[in-house]
Amino acid sequence: MSSLITEDEISHEIELVWLEETTDLDYVRQSLDRLPTRRGKPPYHRDGRMIGYALLGPQAKASRSSGTFRRRVFWLLPHDRDTQPEGLYATGAPAEAVDPRTLAPATKGYKTERSEGGPPSTAMQELGITLPL
């Protein structure tokens, strides 16, 4: 869950790879998955679809116990707002959701008024982040 991801856990990220355009997405779900490699497209075993994933630099160390690397994966479920705008998340967002416009390598990302289903805040407007028209 996004609130449980620490900057230290993602400090070795060097790039975020997006499989879909995120401009029109109010939020994406993010999780830290245990993966066998630092780079490359990870396997995806959830309902819904993978939106993107992080690549790690060579300094990232594998877990001693499992030999895996913890990498962020970004995803959406079939009942998320992008496919069901009037559904469960018409307002509000899941706990692990973040606004994709706030994501960058080694940056956690955060919820915004937009990701929660509301209008853009003054802070978003000052940063030049606008809702899609």
Side-chain angles (χ1 to χ4, degrees), residues 49-60:
R49 66 194 197 275
M50 184 182 343
I51 304 297
Y53 55 90
L55 302 179
L56 304 179
Q59 71 282 17

Side-chain angles (χ1 to χ4, degrees), residues 58-75:
Q59 71 282 17
K61 304 288 185 234
S63 163
R64 289 184 187 169
S65 59
S66 68
T68 58
F69 297 89
R70 292 190 60 161
R71 289 172 49 197
R72 278 194 297 178
V73 175
F74 306 101
W75 46 284

Side-chain angles (χ1 to χ4, degrees), residues 14 17 45 67 74 110 116 129:
I14 58 170
V17 175
H45 304 291
F74 306 101
Y110 52 91
E116 294 284 1
I129 300 172

Side-chain angles (χ1 to χ4, degrees), residues 4-23:
L4 300 178
I5 294 176
T6 66
E7 298 289 337
D8 186 52
E9 290 175 305
I10 59 175
S11 64
H12 297 301
E13 290 180 350
I14 58 170
E15 184 180 346
L16 299 182
V17 175
W18 296 107
L19 303 173
E20 292 185 24
E21 177 59 51
T22 60
T23 305

